Structures are given as structure tokens and as C-alpha cells.
Amino acid sequence: MFVRMVYESFRRQKRRKLLAGAAITLGVGVATAMIAVATDIGDKIGRELRSYGANLVVTPQEDTLDVVIGGVNLKPASDGAYLNESDIPKIKGMFWRNNIVGVAPMLPVGAELGSSNKVTVLGTYFAKQLTFGKEHFTAGVRGTHPWWKVQGAWPEDDTQDVLIGAILAGKLGSKPGDAINISGESHRIAGILSTGGDEDQQIVAPLSLAQHFLRRDGVVRRIYVSALTKPEDELARRDPKTLSPAMYDRWYCSPYVQSIAYQLQEAIPNSYAEMIRQVAQSEDSVLSRIKGIMLLITLAALVASSLAVSSAMATAIFERRAEVGLMKALGASKVMVAALFFFEAALLALIAGTVGFAGGMVLAREIGRSIFASNIVIQPVLFPLILAVAVIVTFAGSAAAILRAMNFDPVYALRGEA
């Protein structure tokens, strides 16, 4: 009898049920799309934001130590200590190695330009192939500094060719293919470099050439690292030394910029890693705002869906007040009346939720292709979550009308009065 009553309800009130189902489908479809995009697009947006450049820098640990005696800083007035070039591949041995998308060492040295002028030669990798174990990867400024523009050609890392900054090239009247005298040695200019920074007045050369001018092989001054990270939260900002073992494991295994910096220090001996705060905070802000907008759209869609369901269900139940009155006159309790309508609402939610999930998948893929130029992967675990959301939204919209039906007086209800 119970099943038949539910069937007759759907058969006799097709229009009301379709209206409520459409509201649920639209709300759930938007929620599915937004949740799918928010959960899958994080890394893709992070990779796009890597166009800001590196977000971490590794320097010698000695540079962070000040020797102060009697109020006098006795730290030597020098360029500081150095890191070992041979330690760079060890970055790919850390826990979050797959989140490291770019590595570039830097070694600035002073040199003579011609016979009298001083110039800074910045040694680095351009696109050097490195190996750690069985893994091969490319390191260099072409990955960590994508805004660098070169007129001409990039030098090869195993050559003696150099890039000359645009401002310096203008002063010297140099162009690609010319020769330039650096510390008594002639080197070919492969291209003119434009960065909008100090490099425009410098010479950028392969790292081995800068080490040659410094007369120290296998050293670097700092290492820039570009890593995919997640926005900061309260746990990210805590000192790992104060955390319990369980919380420390959670902190260590989360791709916070702080935890990746900590692991970089573990991978590279005698180093200190820190975030480039302006870049890291900009990324966190952009990611948080995008996810916040998606959350607001999801909530707005679900609230609108709940209100539409409330209106449709209130009308549907009001039209069935005689049926409710007959049920109560025959001995049905308030719980039985509520169970009937909640079962109908749950069945409607499951059907509309399934349709809405399918529509949301299509919408998510279209958003991914048109806005992010990427395919959105829908996680299977999202389906039961969306069905649960559909049921909650439907129950929230139906609760007031169902509670009213429970309190119908059978006498008035059978006479067609509210």
C-alpha cells in the first residue's frame, strides 16, 4: 500500500514533481560543477600561477647567522658562504619532489668589462638536464623565470656563450652574435636579455663560466625553487617543533610552502630555505578567492534550489490535504504521514540528484575547457556526496510543508479546508 501511494503521488502530480525535480537538478548540477572544478583545478591553477616565478629561495645557512659581540656585527663583509652545486639534484629526493616544477641556481660574481668597467656576471642554468637516481629532469631559469625575454637565442649550458642585459647592451651598442670581453676573455653574445630587473644591467652566463671567474668550482650562491603549494591555514603557520607527532606528520605531508621549505633544508646540507613572500602570498590570495567564489556560487544555487523545492512541495501537499485527512481518519499517525512525504522527497532527490550530477559533469568539463583550457577529472567519490547534498536540500525545502501536513485536522482536511 505504501509503495502504491508513492507511485500514485508521482503519477497524479507529475507537474509538481517535475518542477521540484528541475529545481533540485539545477542546484545539484551547479554544485557538482563547482565542487569538481574546485577540487581538480587547484594544481592546474597553481601551474598557471607559476608564471609569477619561483616562490622559494635556498641560501647558505651561514648567511642567516649574525656574529654580534659588544653590539658590533663581526660577520665578514663578503658575499657569504656557498652551496654545493652537486646537492641540487637531491631536491628530487624529498617527499614533495613531484610538486617541484622548477629549479634554478644563481651565482653572481664581479668581473671586468673591457679594460676598466665593472660588471656583474650572473651564473645560472638555462635548461640543464640533471639526474637523481633514475629520474631525469630539467633545471634552469627558463622554467623558474618565464618572464625573461631573449632577443636572439638562449645559450647552451655547456658553452661559453652569454646573454647581455638590454640596458647594458644599449650602452655598449652590442647585438646578438657580437663578441664581448669579460675579464680578459672573449665570449660570444647569444642574445639580449630583458627582464625589467637588475639583470638588464648584467651579463647572464652558464654557471660553469661564473664559477670560472670566481675561481671556485661546484658552488652556487642561492637556489630558486618553483613549487606547487596549497594556501596557508592555521596549521601551516605553526612551528613544527611545537607540534605533536600526529600533527607534525600532517603538517609535513601537506604541500604548504613552509613544509616544502623545511624539506628543502633537509635535502640540501647547511642550507636555509624560505618563501618569497610576495609571490607565495599572491598565489594563496588568488587560489583562496577563486575557491571562495566557487563556494558562494554553490551555496547560492543550493539555497535557490531549496526555496524552489519548498514552494513546489508546499503546493503539492496542500493539494493532497484531503488524502492526508483520510489517512489520519483511518488511524495513520503523524510519523506515518511524515514518513510518506519524506520518502517521496528522498526518492525525488535521488532521481534529480543523479540527473543533476550527470549535467554537472558536462558543465564542469565545459568550464575546464573554456576557462582553464584543461580537462576536469570527476572523482567517483563525488557522486554519493552529491546525492547526500540533494537529499539534504530537498528535505530542507520540504520540511516546513511536511510539518504542516502532520498537523492537518482530518475533519477540516476532508472538507477541503486548510
Side-chain angles (χ1 to χ4, degrees), residues 35 53 77 109-110 118 127 172 188 216 332 418:
I35 294 173
V109 299
K118 297 285 187 179
L172 300 177
R188 190 179 76 89
R216 292 192 65 173

Side-chain angles (χ1 to χ4, degrees), residues 141-385:
V141 292
R142 297 180 69 174
T144 58
H145 296 65
W147 68 91
W148 283 18
K149 304 300 179 185
V150 173
Q151 178 190 349
W154 288 90
E156 297 294 332
D157 287 288
D158 57 356
T159 67
Q160 301 292 301
D161 296 346
V162 300
L163 295 175
I164 183 171
I167 295 176
L168 182 60
K171 293 178 180 178
L172 300 177
S174 301
K175 60 183 183 298
D178 290 350
I180 188 171
N181 188 289
I182 308 173
S183 294
E185 301 177 2
S186 180
H187 297 276
R188 190 179 76 89
I189 299 175
I192 308 299
L193 176 65
S194 178
T195 68
D198 293 339
E199 297 83 8
D200 287 353
Q201 303 182 63
Q202 299 175 352
I203 293 173
V204 181
L207 182 61
S208 58
L209 184 58
Q211 293 169 347
H212 167 70
F213 290 139
L214 186 63
R215 293 182 173 82
R216 292 192 65 173
D217 293 334
V219 298
V220 299
R221 185 70 183 83
R222 55 186 178 270
I223 303 171
Y224 287 97
V225 178
S226 183
L228 297 174
T229 61
K230 66 179 292 185
E232 287 186 358
D233 55 22
E234 183 180 354
L235 177 61
R237 291 183 285 270
R238 294 180 62 181
D239 184 351
K241 295 178 182 178
T242 66
L243 299 176
S244 66
M247 293 301 292
Y248 173 81
D249 288 342
R250 179 183 167 191
W251 178 88
Y252 191 89
C253 296
S254 299
Y256 301 126
V257 66
Q258 293 89 341
S259 59
I260 292 180
Y262 184 84
Q263 292 171 31
L264 286 170
Q265 293 176 182
E266 292 180 326
I268 302 176
N270 303 315
S271 68
Y272 175 75
E274 62 181 342
M275 74 173 81
I276 301 175
R277 187 162 296 277
Q278 184 176 3
V279 174
Q281 288 180 340
S282 296
E283 291 180 6
D284 287 352
S285 177
V286 171
L287 284 171
S288 297
R289 288 179 182 180
I290 290 175
K291 291 183 177 180
I293 290 172
M294 291 180 178
L295 176 61
L296 287 176
I297 293 173
T298 300
L299 291 177
L302 293 178
V303 169
S305 177
S306 179
L307 291 174
V309 169
S310 177
S311 176
M313 292 297 288
T315 304
I317 291 176
F318 183 76
E319 291 175 350
R320 296 172 63 185
R321 61 192 183 281
E323 177 185 338
V324 175
L326 180 60
M327 290 173 59
K328 298 187 76 172
L330 293 175
S333 65
K334 292 183 179 181
V335 174
M336 292 179 63
V337 172
L340 173 64
F341 287 114
F342 275 121
F343 183 82
E344 291 181 9
L347 183 59
L348 181 63
L350 294 176
I351 296 172
T354 301
V355 177
F357 180 78
M361 290 174 60
V362 175
L363 179 59
R365 292 195 174 98
E366 286 301 317
I367 291 174
R369 279 195 290 266
S370 60
I371 298 178
F372 300 105
S374 175
N375 290 324
I376 302 297
V377 178
I378 309 296
Q379 301 297 330
V381 72
L382 189 59
F383 181 60
L385 174 63

Side-chain angles (χ1 to χ4, degrees), residues 65-69 71-76:
L65 303 176
D66 289 328
V67 181
V68 180
I69 299 178
V72 179
N73 193 332
L74 301 180
K75 184 176 180 179

